[in-house]
Amino acid sequence: MSSWERSRFIPWSRIPEDPAHLSEQKERIFRQLQREADKQQRAKEEEKQKAVVSGNEDGTAANSATTLQSSTVPFRWGDLFKSAAFGGTIGAITGSVFGFMDSMRLAGQSEVLKNASDMAKGKYMMEGTTRSATLFGVFFGGFHVVKYGIRVAIDPGEYSEIAMAGGISLGALMYKPNFRPAMPYATMLILMDSIHLVMRQFESD
């Protein structure tokens, strides 16, 4: 029971009629009531301040979570498959051209192939074209898969994706000595992807 409620049940009529004493009692009760009212007011203000601080912290956390969620690229199997299919197709087409050109050059330089039949030369060029198309199809398809994985994981930007995925893909190609002669063509493929990105951004601007 608060002081104010207690004051309602004080038998004022039984208090001595001394005016000075009565005035002193009332003043003491009023001071006590004022102290309790001030205390309650301070408690309410502290609760409001805590609520405001908590709301700001929750809002900041929510904004940070929203920003993080919006900046993250979601993983989708369909996008991964499209990246692999696109890279594999472009790599195979380009690799077949590279392989056909190299096979023709080697066929013209080889003394054995110069004296071989046209059917043997055609078979040699077909094998070289198929081998090169397979190699660069796998290489460029893997490059686009790695690039998509980097985008989903950290999303550093398109140019950084190309640089990081190119380094990983070329490093894997360098690991096999038999594939090292294909490094110039593989580097050319990655440069073509970078040029395509620059042209696309230029057209959008």
Side-chain angles (χ1 to χ4, degrees), residues 25-136:
Q25 285 288 101
K26 288 183 178 181
E27 184 67 24
R28 184 178 62 80
I29 292 173
F30 289 151
R31 284 198 301 267
Q32 186 175 358
L33 292 174
Q34 186 64 39
R35 283 196 299 269
E36 288 189 0
D38 293 341
K39 185 177 180 181
Q40 292 177 359
Q41 185 65 25
R42 286 195 300 270
K44 290 180 180 179
E45 291 177 355
E46 290 177 358
E47 290 178 359
K48 288 182 180 179
Q49 291 178 354
K50 290 180 181 179
V52 170
V53 172
S54 177
N56 291 336
E57 291 178 352
D58 293 341
T60 302
N63 291 334
S64 300
T66 303
T67 303
L68 180 61
Q69 184 176 6
S70 62
S71 63
T72 304
V73 177
F75 174 80
R76 294 186 178 91
W77 285 106
D79 293 339
L80 178 64
F81 176 76
K82 286 190 292 185
S83 297
F86 173 78
T89 302
I90 299 299
I93 294 173
T94 310
S96 64
V97 175
F98 294 156
F100 182 76
M101 293 171 57
D102 283 345
S103 298
M104 285 188 62
R105 179 175 56 82
L106 292 175
Q109 294 176 351
S110 174
E111 294 295 334
V112 175
L113 290 174
K114 283 181 180 180
N115 299 324
S117 63
D118 293 339
M119 183 176 294
K121 291 180 181 178
K123 182 179 179 181
Y124 173 81
M125 292 189 339
M126 182 60 66
E127 289 178 354
T129 301
T130 304
R131 184 169 53 251
S132 179
T134 303
L135 172 62
F136 287 103

